[in-house]
Amino acid sequence: MSWWLRHADTAVAPSVLSADFGAVGDDLASMELAGADLFHLDVMDAHFVPNLTFGPFIAKALRRRTDLPLDAHLMVTRPDDLISPFADAGMDALTVHIESEGDTAGTLSQIRAAGMKAGLSLRPATPIASLAPYLALIDLILVMSVEPGYGGQAFIPESLARIAELDRRRGVGEGSFAISVDGGINADTGPRCLEAGADILVTGSYLFGAPDRAAAVASLRARQHPVDP
Ligand code: DX5
Ligand code: ZN
């Protein structure tokens, strides 16, 4: 079984950006019960993106409240400085942006050397082709389907073709990475991303705002348009 899976063949990763940080431990427990597979931690530095969230100190506190895998999505200008602190905080995966500063290949190998899965993300306007040199070096690609920085934005439909292109590339042997998608995922867009080839659905406002979280998790996994055999 792949490291990101707990149920079925599709992983649901709640983005804790939308959690209630006054009672975040309860929110994590409720998402676990609802069927989440892993948690997605949005780290923003008020430089790479305008927003500012949290760092390894809070990530370590979240680590103590769940046994599910944790993937930290670093929306920061200088990820290299944060690899060791996030490894110490107990992260299972660290996802950095191709648009960040530094030597991306070096950053990815440092993440793996620190014992974590290496993820690479890209903004909606960054060409998929720019990932080519790194496809063999990564465990996960995080396709941003909104401009990074805030939860609650609308899904960018062109993301579906980007997911399909990555699925095609790994199908012809250009790496063996999981495809994750982040931004505007709900019961409509989530299943469409799965059909395009995504393995992990990151979702914040839809899941945390749902009156029935278990039903919301299940709705993400429902493939609405089965592909003909
Ligand atoms: C945006 C973050 C996302 C965000 C998703 O910069 O990377 O993880 O929390 O939130 P929703 O699901 O509300 O679009
Ligand atoms: Zn994210």
Side-chain angles (χ1 to χ4, degrees):
M1 184 99 113
S2 304
W3 65 271
W4 65 84
L5 285 175
R6 194 160 71 105
H7 306 276
D9 60 350
T10 301
V12 172
S15 164
V16 301
L17 190 60
S18 294
D20 172 5
F21 266 79
V24 71
D26 295 344
D27 254 353
L28 295 184
S30 139
M31 282 300 171
E32 271 191 46
L33 267 178
D37 297 86
L38 69 161
F39 286 105
H40 179 92
L41 310 186
D42 284 308
V43 176
M44 307 187 191
D45 67 351
H47 188 267
F48 184 78
V49 291
N51 203 0
L52 179 66
T53 57
F54 55 81
F57 179 80
I58 298 289
K60 192 170 190 171
L62 300 177
R63 172 74 291 166
R64 288 193 289 266
R65 298 304 298 266
T66 178
D67 293 326
L68 292 188
L70 298 179
D71 177 19
H73 174 197
L74 300 190
M75 287 162 275
V76 304
T77 301
R78 295 179 49 183
D80 285 0
D81 303 342
L82 294 170
I83 295 170
S84 168
F86 274 103
D88 292 345
M91 298 301 101
D92 298 276
L94 214 52
T95 296
V96 297
H97 266 265
I98 193 168
E99 304 89 355
S100 291
E101 284 178 5
D103 162 28
T104 300
T107 302
L108 293 167
S109 75
Q110 280 184 59
I111 292 170
R112 281 182 163 176
M116 297 177 287
K117 303 291 181 189
L120 189 58
S121 185
L122 74 177
R123 292 178 181 275
T126 302
I128 289 292
S130 63
L131 295 173
Y134 310 111
L135 292 181
L137 309 176
I138 54 184
D139 302 294
L140 176 149
I141 291 179
L142 181 67
V143 175
M144 288 309 302
S145 42
V146 297
E147 196 56 49
Y150 298 95
Q153 303 180 75
F155 180 82
I156 298 172
E158 288 75 14
S159 311
L160 294 169
R162 290 159 68 78
I163 293 167
E165 169 62 10
L166 288 167
D167 191 37
R168 187 193 68 75
R169 286 184 182 238
R170 68 180 172 177
V172 296
E174 294 184 42
S176 59
F177 43 83
I179 301 174
S180 182
V181 57
D182 184 8
I185 298 298
N186 56 36
D188 170 39
T189 57
R192 286 160 66 200
C193 291
L194 298 182
E195 284 159 27
D199 308 294
I200 303 173
L201 301 175
V202 176
T203 165
S205 51
Y206 172 66
L207 279 186
F208 283 95
D212 180 341
R213 290 178 172 182
V217 169
S219 75
L220 291 168
R221 292 202 179 96
R223 292 177 194 248
Q224 290 165 335
H225 310 288
V227 179
D228 289 333

